[in-house]
Amino acid sequence: MSIIILAIESSCDDTSAAVIKDGVILSNCVANQEIHKLYGGVVPEAASRAHQINIVPVVDTAIQQAGINKEDLSAVAFTRGPGLIGSLLVGVSFAKSFAMSLNIPMVEVNHMQAHILAHFAEDPKPPFPFLCLTVSGGHTQIVKVTNHLEMELLGSTIDDAAGEAFDKTGKLLGLDYPAGPLIDKYAQLGKPVFEFTEPKVGELEFSFSGLKTAILYFLRKKIKENPNFIEENLNDICASVQYRIVSILLKKFKVAADKTEIKHLAIAGGVSANSALRNGLEEMGKEMGWETYIPRFEYCTDNAAMIAVTGYFKYLKKEFVGQDVVPVARWNV
Ligand code: KG4
Ligand code: ZN
């Protein structure tokens, strides 16, 4: 009999549902929340309210697009954490009641593990062991992946995440949230002519909060000299900031590859949609003789397909949870 799983993702500001059948994604629906643009960042209370509005239609659409009936489902997988508690609560509560009404098991999923396992949604799949640089709005991690569900954290950020560095820079530049995709777009029209220094931290550690402060002081000084500095130099500023963030990420990833002697390198998470990071990793891979794995755009930012893939591997191991499960804001891979 086929294994068909409904997956729910609601850890931050995207409500998503997906259906997977015997390891093959049948549908993946995402509802973005526009409301956060008004505030220049995710407002947790607004996010959980929007999840409440979106979750039923998103699940309905995912089931319809998959061409199945809800009675065909073998289990419900859901993101238990890490993330915003109010947002997670909506998905977890929905998953509990949905599973109970159908009398089927539930599978809890770690959002950061799922970003990595998005690579198993389609070919080519990285062979074990591989390294994954997971870069999102809340995390920046280098992870050694020895099996689908066996991962070791080799390094992470001591303050801001890479996505946060993009988003906070965007706020300083007056760009809409999330600013990552906009900075990427403008950077392609500019040159990295402004220099921002690299942070001095441990070998496999990241730090982005100093960069944010450096950009703030840089802009203040330049605007004093020329009030139109941002408008006149937006593309070059974006190119310079992006150059620095990407060079920090790739440098540390190379250190991890050298230390572990692992030659299969993957990127995951929202920031892996960045064109400079994607091109940079590919070029470095050619130079170093690595095999590199870059996810399709749809699987970079938050989506339930990655929750479905992870849920499927956990289902095969019969790793189920009971109705007493609660969401968690923090949870290591
Ligand atoms: O993985 P994700 O969708 O959500 C979290 O789990 O945080 O990542 C969202 C982050 C945001 O910070 C967003 O600005 C960033 O990914 N992002 C990008 C790009 N697309 C999304 N950053 C740089 N370049 C992009 N093209
Ligand atoms: Zn994410």
Side-chain angles (χ1 to χ4, degrees):
M1 211 173 86
S2 288
I3 299 169
I4 308 178
I5 300 173
L6 169 72
I8 314 273
E9 155 62 32
S10 73
S11 64
C12 191
D13 60 338
D14 295 315
T15 320
S16 183
V19 175
I20 190 167
K21 181 179 181 184
D22 298 326
V24 179
I25 299 292
L26 297 184
S27 64
N28 179 37
C29 305
V30 186
N32 304 118
Q33 302 180 358
E34 293 295 315
I35 185 162
H36 308 290
K37 282 199 165 79
L38 293 174
Y39 303 98
V42 177
V43 180
E45 177 64 25
S48 59
R49 282 171 194 266
H51 282 305
Q52 282 179 333
I53 295 167
N54 292 340
I55 196 150
V56 172
V58 167
V59 168
D60 273 348
T61 310
I63 288 176
Q64 254 178 39
Q65 283 185 1
I68 59 151
N69 296 311
K70 62 183 190 321
E71 290 74 21
D72 301 331
L73 290 170
S74 321
V76 180
F78 64 90
T79 305
R80 185 181 170 206
L84 300 170
I85 275 294
S87 290
L88 290 164
L89 256 177
V90 178
V92 174
S93 310
F94 182 91
K96 281 186 191 181
S97 44
F98 206 73
M100 188 182 249
S101 72
L102 294 168
N103 196 24
I104 53 176
M106 281 187 296
V107 183
E108 63 175 22
V109 171
N110 178 309
H111 180 89
M112 298 314 293
Q113 265 197 355
H115 266 305
I116 297 172
L117 293 179
H119 282 283
F120 293 83
E122 53 193 8
D123 291 327
K125 300 176 174 71
F128 301 113
F130 68 91
L131 292 181
C132 189
L133 173 71
T134 320
V135 272
S136 70
H139 295 81
T140 303
Q141 304 179 333
I142 296 178
V143 180
K144 181 179 169 185
V145 188
T146 41
N147 214 319
H148 293 121
L149 302 172
E150 271 169 49
M151 303 185 185
E152 184 192 344
L153 185 63
L154 301 183
S156 59
T157 178
I158 57 167
D159 43 53
D160 290 352
E164 236 175 320
F166 275 106
D167 296 338
K168 287 180 175 171
T169 302
K171 208 168 175 177
L172 296 174
L173 296 173
L175 303 177
D176 272 352
Y177 174 86
L182 294 172
I183 292 180
D184 189 351
K185 189 173 115 190
Y186 297 133
Q188 290 176 37
L189 306 169
K191 288 203 166 58
V193 292
F194 305 115
E195 194 157 332
F196 298 105
T197 49
E198 271 184 49
K200 289 191 174 49
V201 283
E203 237 186 346
L204 289 180
E205 272 175 355
F206 298 93
S207 166
F208 291 104
S209 70
L211 178 64
K212 177 193 64 194
T213 315
I215 295 165
L216 173 69
Y217 288 137
F218 165 81
L219 290 176
R220 272 194 194 153
K221 183 169 164 270
K222 292 290 186 185
I223 289 168
K224 236 185 215 166
E225 294 162 12
N226 169 13
N228 298 324
F229 178 76
I230 292 183
E231 295 76 54
E232 289 170 11
N233 296 278
L234 185 62
N235 297 338
D236 287 346
I237 302 170
C238 289
S240 307
V241 172
Q242 176 170 285
Y243 171 83
R244 180 48 74 216
I245 296 174
V246 169
S247 67
I248 292 171
L249 293 172
L250 289 177
K251 194 172 168 183
K252 299 284 174 163
F253 207 20
K254 183 176 179 305
V255 173
D258 289 346
K259 275 176 95 91
T260 56
E261 296 181 4
I262 292 175
K263 294 192 182 310
H264 294 272
L265 277 77
I267 50 174
V271 181
S272 67
N274 183 269
S275 57
L277 180 60
R278 297 166 81 91
N279 296 337
L281 179 69
E282 214 176 299
E283 269 173 36
M284 211 157 127
K286 278 190 195 133
E287 203 179 296
M288 304 300 300
W290 301 333
E291 287 297 327
T292 54
Y293 302 85
I294 298 169
R296 186 149 48 109
F297 285 113
E298 193 187 347
Y299 295 146
C300 292
T301 45
D302 289 348
N303 66 87
M306 67 187 199
I307 307 302
V309 173
T310 313
Y312 174 69
F313 291 127
K314 293 187 105 174
Y315 183 98
L316 294 178
K317 295 184 85 182
K318 301 217 174 337
E319 287 188 22
F320 303 131
V321 289
Q323 284 285 334
D324 55 348
V325 66
V326 289
V328 284
R330 289 171 184 278
W331 188 6
N332 282 340
V333 292

